[in-house]
């Protein structure tokens, strides 16, 4: 799976497994907030997509990004805004 194909303006929701208030916005908003999180909060963050993505090795597309994938987005955002 490559997060490179997810457009920045795609609607998304960042959720927290500990029940904090979700962030409803775009993929860009979620990546930006993730980059500001402390390590513990990063481990508990997930992004719910509005368009599912294909993952290698899976027959179906998925609607959820895990912390390593959100970190890829945050790194991509940092590279593109420098």
């Amino acid at each position: 799976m490559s997060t490179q194909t997810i457009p920045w303006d795609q609607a998304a929701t960042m959720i927290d497994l500990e029940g904090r208030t979700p962030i409803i916005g775009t993929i860009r908003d979620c990546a930006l907030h993730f980059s500001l999180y402390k390590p513990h909060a990063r481990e508990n963050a997930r992004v719910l997509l509005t368009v599912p993505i294909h993952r290698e090795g899976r027959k179906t597309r998925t609607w959820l990004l895990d912390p390593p994938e959100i970190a890829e987005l945050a790194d991509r955002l940092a590279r593109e805004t420098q």
Side-chain angles (χ1 to χ4, degrees), residues 1 4 7-9 14 16-17 20 28 34-36 42 53 60 64 67 69 81-82:
M1 199 267 333
Q4 299 296 321
W8 287 124
D9 62 348
M14 176 121 55
D16 182 307
L17 298 179
R20 291 182 189 96
R28 186 182 191 288
F34 184 83
S35 67
L36 302 173
R42 286 182 181 202
I53 57 169
T60 59
L64 203 63
E69 297 157 329
T81 56
Q82 288 183 9

Side-chain angles (χ1 to χ4, degrees), residues 8 12 14 23 26-37 42 47 65 69-78:
W8 287 124
M14 176 121 55
I23 296 169
T26 63
I27 288 290
R28 186 182 191 288
D29 297 333
C30 293
L32 179 62
H33 280 85
F34 184 83
S35 67
L36 302 173
Y37 283 179
R42 286 182 181 202
V47 171
L65 295 179
E69 297 157 329
I70 305 168
E72 284 178 19
L73 288 170
D75 292 343
R76 178 178 142 205
L77 180 61

Side-chain angles (χ1 to χ4, degrees), residues 3 14 18 20-21 24 27 29-31 43 49 52 54-55 57 59-61 63 69 76 78-82:
T3 58
M14 176 121 55
E18 294 186 341
R20 291 182 189 96
T21 304
I24 300 170
I27 288 290
D29 297 333
C30 293
E43 292 172 14
L49 302 168
H54 173 72
R55 284 204 168 102
K59 292 181 182 182
T60 59
R61 297 179 296 162
W63 296 89
E69 297 157 329
R76 178 178 142 205
R79 283 192 313 273
E80 291 179 9
T81 56
Q82 288 183 9

